[in-house]
Amino acid sequence: MRNSSYRFIKAYALYTTDYYTQSMGLILVYTGDGKGKTTAALGLVLRAYGHGLRSIVAHVMKTLIYRGQWVGEYSALLKMSDLVEVYYMSEEALRTPRDVFNKAIERSIMIKPFLLVLDEVNNAVNGGLMTSREVIDGLRKLPNEVNVVLTGRNAPSEFLELADLVTEFKPVKHYYDKGIVGVMGLEW
Amino acid sequence: MRNSSYRFIKAYALYTTDYYTQSMGLILVYTGDGKGKTTAALGLVLRAYGHGLRSIVAHVMKTLIYRGQWVGEYSALLKMSDLVEVYYMSEEALRTPRDVFNKAIERSIMIKPFLLVLDEVNNAVNGGLMTSREVIDGLRKLPNEVNVVLTGRNAPSEFLELADLVTEFKPVKHYYDKGIVGVMGLEW
């Protein structure tokens, strides 16, 4: 939650409805070393889409071509382009993680999506490509109704503190360990 | 992995390709108390769809109407019905978790999807509505190319043993604890 007046509105809503069903600017963090973080964020996009709600997906650390073809999620999200916008890195256009992030924040301020996915933003901070401060400053600019998902390993402690929900994806067993390093349709 | 001859084929494939990009009958388990298990399974469906690959989604413990309307994922998956089949419980039609499971296995044998999601099947076993033995027997009947995701809290140890990948979704922080018990678009 991003500001105290909004916190009041949310607290009030909890007393007036049994299930609070409206968008409320929640911050979700999907972190940990296990498989499924980006995938779960994509599942949220799917679910929101089913309700006719808008999403913006910002892949701050990924290009959308892998092994000569679009990654699966991009091809799929293109078919939802009536409600979903996707931003991504691009070497040619010199789009850095910061550029992608800023674009996503700017568009979110403009179109007020239900959901903003900042995919791999935790890694961008860990890798020194962005600071947690500038991410948080960006989040504070968002309209109150935008729910945000931050994904990536080792989420900075500032994000954990700010978050309304944190799930750690803990790898108990991974097929990487058997030498299976990538499966099209499951990994990309 | 479901049988030893297939294990051999997979081992061979690992020596002949750098990235094994074909369907290989992997078993993924998404378990733990954290948010995102079903959501991540849905993200896999989205990704597979983007590659033009078929999925079957069996919600063995859920009906698809919630608070008078379809859950978001169902509305969204309907738009992908060229490649995605969804099965679910229904009180009227007396469809139990076992019925939904059996239907999903039967259809998977027939159409050989890339991905079979057995959503909440772990809970069906924990709740005594199915046995882990009959789930595993069903999995063994599947064509080798079908990848399977089993979701739900407290996955039975037999499933963990059989799995190629296990991610535990660990709740570090949850907005339930603040009294927010359900958000449309994020939860359903």
Side-chain angles (χ1 to χ4, degrees):
Chain A
M1 274 168 284
R2 283 181 293 274
N3 63 54
S4 58
S5 65
Y6 195 62
R7 196 169 300 134
F8 169 75
I9 297 169
K10 181 147 67 178
Y12 176 75
L14 289 172
Y15 285 102
T16 53
T17 56
D18 54 342
Y19 277 69
Y20 190 81
T21 58
Q22 285 168 31
S23 188
M24 56 205 305
L26 293 170
I27 296 174
L28 284 65
V29 174
Y30 286 164
T31 192
D33 297 335
K35 176 172 164 46
K37 300 180 291 293
T38 296
T39 322
L42 294 171
L44 289 179
V45 174
L46 186 79
R47 187 170 274 153
Y49 184 80
H51 288 294
L53 299 166
R54 282 187 182 279
S55 296
I56 290 177
V57 181
H59 292 288
V60 305
M61 294 280 284
K62 286 178 191 163
T63 57
L64 288 190
I65 302 287
Y66 187 69
R67 295 173 70 80
Q69 59 177 302
W70 281 339
V71 296
E73 53 262 47
Y74 186 56
S75 306
L77 293 176
L78 269 187
K79 299 197 181 173
M80 305 179 174
S81 58
D82 52 329
L83 291 175
V84 183
E85 291 182 17
V86 187
Y87 298 100
Y88 52 93
M89 286 179 72
S90 154
E91 280 179 46
E92 309 81 55
L94 295 173
R95 275 180 298 199
T96 64
R98 179 173 289 126
D99 295 333
V100 179
F101 177 85
N102 287 339
K103 177 74 184 171
I105 296 291
E106 178 196 308
R107 283 294 294 165
S108 295
I109 291 169
M110 198 175 300
I111 71 168
K112 300 184 178 60
F114 170 79
L115 184 67
L116 166 61
V117 176
L118 294 168
D119 187 38
E120 306 283 3
V121 74
N122 302 340
N123 296 331
V125 173
N126 289 326
L129 300 163
M130 295 187 70
T131 66
S132 56
R133 174 52 42 206
E134 69 183 301
V135 172
I136 291 174
D137 285 348
L139 295 181
R140 290 198 194 283
K141 286 186 212 150
L142 291 173
N144 277 329
E145 58 264 60
V146 181
N147 300 288
V148 186
V149 189
L150 311 171
T151 81
R153 296 172 178 221
N154 305 316
S157 58
E158 299 90 330
F159 294 0
L160 301 181
E161 213 168 294
L162 194 68
D164 297 285
L165 178 139
V166 178
T167 301
E168 183 195 343
F169 290 60
K170 213 177 137 191
V172 177
K173 203 174 187 182
H174 202 303
Y175 49 72
Y176 288 165
D177 301 332
K178 300 182 188 172
I180 304 169
V181 285
V183 183
M184 185 185 86
L186 298 181
E187 308 282 317
W188 74 84
Chain B
M1 276 168 282
R2 283 180 293 273
N3 63 54
S4 57
S5 65
Y6 194 61
R7 198 168 300 135
F8 169 76
I9 297 168
K10 181 148 65 178
Y12 177 75
L14 290 172
Y15 284 102
T16 53
T17 56
D18 55 340
Y19 276 69
Y20 191 80
T21 57
Q22 286 168 33
S23 187
M24 54 205 308
L26 293 171
I27 296 174
L28 284 66
V29 174
Y30 287 163
T31 192
D33 297 336
K35 175 170 165 49
K37 300 180 292 291
T38 296
T39 321
L42 295 171
L44 289 178
V45 173
L46 186 79
R47 188 170 274 155
Y49 184 81
H51 288 294
L53 298 166
R54 283 186 180 280
S55 296
I56 292 178
V57 180
H59 292 289
V60 305
M61 294 280 285
K62 285 179 192 162
T63 57
L64 289 190
I65 302 288
Y66 187 68
R67 295 173 69 79
Q69 58 177 302
W70 281 339
V71 295
E73 53 260 48
Y74 186 56
S75 305
L77 293 175
L78 270 186
K79 298 197 182 173
M80 305 180 175
S81 59
D82 51 329
L83 292 174
V84 183
E85 292 183 17
V86 187
Y87 298 99
Y88 52 93
M89 285 179 72
S90 155
E91 279 179 47
E92 310 80 54
L94 296 172
R95 275 180 298 198
T96 65
R98 180 173 288 127
D99 295 333
V100 179
F101 176 84
N102 287 339
K103 178 72 183 173
I105 296 292
E106 179 196 308
R107 284 294 294 165
S108 295
I109 291 169
M110 197 174 301
I111 71 168
K112 299 184 179 59
F114 170 79
L115 184 67
L116 167 61
V117 176
L118 295 169
D119 186 39
E120 306 281 6
V121 73
N122 302 339
N123 295 331
V125 172
N126 289 327
L129 299 162
M130 295 188 70
T131 67
S132 56
R133 176 49 43 203
E134 70 184 303
V135 172
I136 290 174
D137 285 348
L139 296 181
R140 289 197 193 283
K141 286 186 211 150
L142 291 174
N144 276 330
E145 57 266 59
V146 181
N147 301 289
V148 186
V149 189
L150 311 171
T151 81
R153 295 172 179 223
N154 304 315
S157 58
E158 300 90 329
F159 294 179
L160 300 180
E161 214 168 293
L162 193 68
D164 296 285
L165 178 140
V166 178
T167 301
E168 183 195 343
F169 290 60
K170 214 178 136 188
V172 177
K173 203 173 186 184
H174 202 304
Y175 49 70
Y176 287 166
D177 301 332
K178 299 184 190 171
I180 304 169
V181 286
V183 184
M184 186 184 84
L186 299 181
E187 309 281 317
W188 72 86

